């Protein structure tokens, strides 16, 4: 169809080149048509809920009835004053610490893998693979590993470490449970940081590093002054991911323990508050607080370490 | 490819490989143990320790039980949701990227800002309000709830396509327009076919995320016949509570597709995540 009239159209267009307006009117409609669905979905399913959430956070509502009771800032006050509610912030701290350890490990492993190492792809694959796994699968795996007389206990017995039969309750002990769960989180997510760092290190021009080596820089010096500045955007990104990840923890503690025994995180509590206790207002207020925290952290990070590429010359 | 820094000394080499091997063992141990558990009979499981290998490495009984207990249906549901959502994401993401990269128009900055802002908001935060919305739209307890949510929270796909579109020269567009093509034809015949690597990336990232997702199916698709892989496996915990070997089989069933995809598409997966993260 088009081929037949192509020539005539071409002629027409060349002739009409001077008469621009009709074309530009048609041109200006296209992007809107293309963006109709994406932006529409974005508005409806991201922004509408966000705005609604703000409005829900100042009422008392069970999610079902037609009536909502206006409470002002009452929900927010509750969040910051009732200990069982802001105890979840304490839980987040474990995951923050875990996030830092995670990044440190990832950076370390990525760096040593970038040195002249054999079996590079094998190690890379093995260390990355946990990241791809289903959260439920991981949760069950670690229930199996961490339960009393489970894998970890048997391993320690086999290695002769500590007292057999007198093992700490990795999941049962309130003071240990979050350490264990943060450990599971590290196991799960380190692979992604690792691959990101690896990719970033590999994109540092080799001349830079070879120059450093020829100047007699030790490996530590190479690391600190050449590698780290070269991958700063990725470090910044990983930092944001780690922090917002630590705040948004849900799957592992929920599937393993339903958030019991002091392992409840912020999101678990929000979900329980809404769907178990039918307090949509309070849950919404919690979600707003979480959102504000995450946005603040992101903003701070962008200020401290902006994502511009670094020139190493 | 990439720098090869020379590591000096025998001792540091030992330390280096030692760390890598240690990390690998830590990564592999939980997986290996669960695989072994899935192949044990109930007796073997109760009488032996978790580190003992199974008697018969080809004992698939537990897998049969697990499939019948709902994993088969879970795969059907997951596949349905995954295919449609990924298809939708690719279509919508590429269309949005085409519009944003090839055109200047008045509201463009606003649109870009909307997308950027939405990217900062983690999905988990707004779920309570989203639930009310989904419920109100009558989508609760349908597969479409998940599909709609997966295609609309689609920022990463748009960014990947946008970045990729910078590499497609406009001259190709213009040549096609000179031959009388409408913008839609340019999109369909010129741009879209050239986006193939980016499409592969999006398919992988979205695919993995959807396959593994527990949160959304858990909140929105509670009825029994709507289980996806994640939620069906989760439901194993009640009935099979004392039969870990069956739960283990369920876990292995859930993991095997991931392993297969990983081994087949390793390179794309790495480049996908690295590219997707540099937004």
């Amino acid at each position: 169809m088009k081929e037949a009239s192509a020539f005539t159209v071409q002629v027409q267009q060349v002739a009409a080149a001077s008469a621009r307006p009709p074309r530009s009117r048609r041109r200006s409609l296209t992007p809107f048509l293309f963006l109709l669905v994406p932006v529409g979905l974005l508005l409806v399913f991201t922004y509408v809920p966000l705005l609604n959430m703000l409005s829900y956070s100042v009422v008392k509502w069970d999610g079902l009835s037609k009536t909502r009771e206006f409470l002002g800032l009452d929900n927010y006050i509750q969040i910051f004053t009732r200990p069982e509610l802001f105890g979840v912030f304490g839980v987040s701290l474990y995951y923050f610490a875990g996030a830092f350890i995670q990044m440190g490990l990832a950076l370390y492993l990525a760096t040593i893998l970038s040195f002249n190492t054999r079996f590079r792809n094998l190690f890379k694959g093995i260390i990355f693979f946990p990241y791809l796994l289903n959260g439920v699968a991981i949760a069950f795996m670690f229930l199996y590993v961490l339960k009393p007389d489970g894998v970890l206990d048997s391993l320690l017995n086999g290695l002769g470490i500590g007292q057999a039969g007198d093992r700490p309750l990795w999941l049962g002990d309130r003071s240990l449970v979050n350490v264990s769960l943060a450990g599971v989180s590290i196991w799960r997510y380190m692979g992604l940081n690792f691959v990101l760092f690896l990719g970033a290190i590999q994109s540092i021009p080799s001349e830079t590093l070879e120059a450093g080596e020829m100047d007699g820089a030790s490996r530590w010096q190479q690391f600190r002054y050449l590698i780290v500045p070269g991958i700063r955007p990725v470090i910044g990104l990983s930092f944001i991911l780690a922090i917002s990840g630590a705040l948004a923890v849900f799957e592992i503690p929920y599937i393993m323990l339903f958030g019991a025994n002091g392992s409840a995180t912020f999101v678990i509590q929000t979900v329980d508050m809404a769907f178990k206790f039918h307090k949509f207002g309070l849950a919404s207020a919690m979600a707003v607080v979480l959102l504000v925290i995450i946005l603040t952290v992101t903003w701070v990070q962008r200020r401290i370490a902006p994502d511009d590429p670094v020139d190493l010359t | 490819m990439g720098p090869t820094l020379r590591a000096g000394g025998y001792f540091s080499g030992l330390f280096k490989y030692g760390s890598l091997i240690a990390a690998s063992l830590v990564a592999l141990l939980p997986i290996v143990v669960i695989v072994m558990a899935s192949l044990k009979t109930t007796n073997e499981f109760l009488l032996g320790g978790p580190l003992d290998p199974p008697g018969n490495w080809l004992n698939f009984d537990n897998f049969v039980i697990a499939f019948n207990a709902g994993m088969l249906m879970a795969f059907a549901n997951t596949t349905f949701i995954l295919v449609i959502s990924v298809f939708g994401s690719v279509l919508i993401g590429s269309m949005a990227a085409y519009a944003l990269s090839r055109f200047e128009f008045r509201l463009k900055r606003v649109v870009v800002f909307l997308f950027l802002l939405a990217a900062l908001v983690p999905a988990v935060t707004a779920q309570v309000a989203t639930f009310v919305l989904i419920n109100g739209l009558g989508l609760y307890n349908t597969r479409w709830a998940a599909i709609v949510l997966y295609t609309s929270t689609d920022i990463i796909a748009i960014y990947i396509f946008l970045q990729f579109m910078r590499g497609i020269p406009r001259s190709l567009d213009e040549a096609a327009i000179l031959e009388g093509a409408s913008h839609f034809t340019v999109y369909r015949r010129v741009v879209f076919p050239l986006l193939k690597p980016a499409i592969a990336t999006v398919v992988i990232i979205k695919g993995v995320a959807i396959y593994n997702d527990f949160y959304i199916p858990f909140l929105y698709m509670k009825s029994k016949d709507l289980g996806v892989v994640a939620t069906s496996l989760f439901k194993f915990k009640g009935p099979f509570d004392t039969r870990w070997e069956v739960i283990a089989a369920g876990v292995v069933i859930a993991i095997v597709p991931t392993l297969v995809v990983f081994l087949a598409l390793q390179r794309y997966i790495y480049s996908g995540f690295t590219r997707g993260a540099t937004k």
Side-chain angles (χ1 to χ4, degrees):
Chain A
M1 166 195 82
K2 282 230 159 44
E3 282 67 23
S5 56
F7 182 72
T8 25
V9 174
Q10 214 166 336
V11 170
Q12 276 178 341
Q13 287 191 341
V14 168
S18 48
R20 279 282 151 188
R23 280 229 78 202
S24 60
R25 208 179 304 139
R26 190 185 88 186
R27 192 181 289 148
S28 68
L29 203 49
T30 315
F32 291 112
L33 286 176
F34 270 69
L35 283 173
L36 196 63
V37 176
V39 175
L41 283 178
L42 181 74
L43 288 176
V44 170
F45 289 103
T46 304
Y47 281 100
V48 165
L50 274 180
L51 295 172
N52 282 342
M53 196 169 77
L54 282 174
S55 75
Y56 299 152
S57 68
V58 291
V59 300
K60 178 178 177 164
W61 185 39
D62 67 355
L64 290 172
S65 60
K66 299 277 184 184
T67 55
R68 306 173 199 178
E69 187 192 320
F70 185 73
L71 287 179
L73 290 177
D74 218 30
N75 286 328
Y76 289 97
I77 297 178
Q78 278 198 50
I79 294 177
F80 289 106
T81 53
R82 281 171 59 185
E84 68 267 24
L85 288 187
F86 75 74
V88 289
F89 286 122
V91 173
S92 298
L93 292 179
Y94 287 94
Y95 290 99
F96 280 137
F100 277 107
I101 297 178
Q102 180 182 308
M103 275 182 48
L105 276 178
L107 196 53
Y108 170 66
L109 290 171
T111 310
I112 62 178
L113 200 68
S114 301
F115 288 97
N116 203 355
T117 313
R118 287 192 291 174
F119 304 118
R120 188 184 286 193
N121 277 327
L122 181 66
F123 283 122
K124 185 179 176 185
I126 293 179
I127 295 178
F128 177 66
F129 186 62
Y131 176 71
L132 293 177
L133 293 178
N134 205 310
V136 183
I138 295 179
F140 283 168
M141 274 199 292
F142 277 93
L143 269 180
Y144 185 56
V145 167
L146 293 173
K147 68 183 174 108
D149 295 327
V151 176
L152 186 59
D153 287 346
S154 306
L155 194 64
L156 293 175
N157 288 343
L159 292 175
I161 302 177
Q163 285 269 49
D166 188 24
R167 298 282 170 209
L169 293 175
W170 309 107
L171 294 174
D173 187 343
R174 268 186 102 97
S175 58
L176 274 185
V177 64
N178 287 312
V179 175
S180 310
L181 291 180
V184 176
S185 223
I186 295 179
W187 185 90
R188 182 181 190 187
Y189 290 113
M190 193 201 70
L192 179 68
N193 290 69
F194 169 71
V195 162
L196 290 181
F197 285 142
L198 204 57
I201 292 179
Q202 302 212 319
S203 67
I204 298 179
S206 29
E207 306 90 55
T208 321
L209 293 156
E210 278 158 26
E213 231 183 289
M214 287 201 288
D215 284 354
S218 75
R219 269 194 337 274
W220 169 250
Q221 284 171 325
Q222 282 176 6
F223 174 74
R224 199 170 147 210
Y225 297 110
L226 295 177
I227 295 185
V228 171
I231 60 174
R232 194 183 298 164
V234 174
I235 293 186
L237 173 76
S238 301
F239 185 75
I240 290 194
L241 286 181
I243 298 290
S244 55
L247 285 167
V249 177
F250 173 75
E251 280 182 0
I252 301 288
Y254 188 79
I255 296 172
M256 287 176 79
L257 298 173
F258 287 105
N261 210 19
S263 68
T265 63
F266 209 92
V267 180
I268 292 182
Q269 193 178 75
T270 309
V271 167
D272 275 349
M273 200 54 69
F275 299 107
K276 208 159 86 172
F277 301 119
H278 302 294
K279 292 189 173 173
F280 271 65
L282 193 54
S284 298
M286 289 179 181
V288 170
V289 170
L290 181 64
L291 185 61
V292 166
I293 295 178
I294 291 185
L295 288 179
T296 312
V297 169
T298 310
W299 181 78
V300 165
Q301 188 272 343
R302 291 257 156 113
R303 281 314 204 78
I304 293 183
D307 294 342
D308 333 286
V310 174
D311 196 336
L312 278 182
T313 51
Chain B
M1 48 167 266
T4 47
L5 310 155
R6 235 126 297 155
Y10 177 72
F11 179 68
S12 61
L14 197 70
F15 200 64
K16 174 176 74 174
Y17 283 105
S19 317
L20 287 172
I21 292 178
S24 304
L25 286 178
V26 170
L28 286 177
L29 186 66
I31 302 176
V32 166
V33 176
I34 268 283
V35 169
M36 294 201 309
S38 68
L39 297 168
K40 291 182 181 174
T41 65
T42 316
N43 266 333
E44 277 178 334
F45 189 83
L46 291 172
L47 296 175
L51 293 177
D52 300 335
N56 174 13
W57 283 85
L58 294 176
N59 174 22
F60 292 133
D61 290 347
N62 298 321
F63 289 93
V64 173
I65 301 178
F67 266 119
N68 288 331
M71 287 308 279
L72 200 57
M73 177 195 61
F75 275 110
N77 280 328
T78 302
T79 310
F80 180 80
I81 294 176
L82 196 129
V83 166
I84 299 187
S85 305
V86 168
F87 183 72
S89 285
V90 167
L91 209 60
I92 291 177
S94 58
M95 280 172 64
Y98 177 65
L100 287 174
S101 84
R102 290 309 200 231
F103 297 88
E104 289 299 325
F105 50 95
R106 254 175 317 174
L107 292 175
K108 183 169 171 176
R109 288 192 146 246
V110 175
V111 171
V112 171
F113 177 70
L114 285 180
F115 279 115
L116 275 176
L117 192 59
L120 290 178
V121 176
V124 289
T125 46
Q127 283 310 322
V128 174
T130 314
F131 180 83
V132 177
L133 181 65
I134 295 275
N135 213 4
L137 289 174
L139 291 174
Y140 179 69
N141 253 342
T142 68
R143 283 174 286 209
W144 293 97
I147 293 176
V148 152
L149 285 175
Y150 289 137
T151 37
S152 61
T153 52
D154 199 9
I155 326 288
I156 293 230
I158 297 183
Y159 276 122
I160 293 180
F161 284 129
L162 254 180
Q163 281 207 339
F164 205 75
M165 290 219 53
R166 288 190 198 137
I168 300 180
R170 278 184 194 240
S171 48
L172 291 173
D173 286 40
E174 284 155 19
I177 292 183
L178 279 178
E179 288 183 31
S182 71
H183 290 295
F184 185 72
T185 316
V186 173
Y187 164 74
R188 196 165 65 113
R189 292 264 171 86
V190 177
V191 171
F192 196 76
L194 287 175
L195 283 175
K196 285 212 186 79
I199 294 179
T201 304
V202 170
V203 167
I204 288 177
I205 293 192
K206 268 275 165 182
V208 167
I210 293 177
Y211 180 75
N212 288 340
D213 187 41
F214 170 74
Y215 197 58
I216 286 183
F218 176 68
L219 288 179
Y220 297 104
M221 300 191 298
K222 290 232 177 204
S223 78
K224 281 211 174 115
D225 50 339
L226 287 180
V228 295
V229 171
T231 43
S232 296
L233 183 59
F234 181 58
K235 290 194 196 132
F236 268 42
K237 209 160 155 219
F240 294 109
D241 210 8
T242 48
R243 297 185 61 189
W244 267 99
E245 62 276 11
V246 179
I247 298 183
V251 169
V252 173
I253 293 177
I255 292 183
V256 163
T258 318
L259 181 64
V260 167
V261 167
F262 177 61
L263 291 175
L265 300 175
Q266 248 184 12
R267 198 157 293 172
Y268 290 106
I269 292 183
Y270 291 135
S271 71
F273 280 103
T274 336
R275 206 186 302 159
T278 49
K279 34 178 175 155

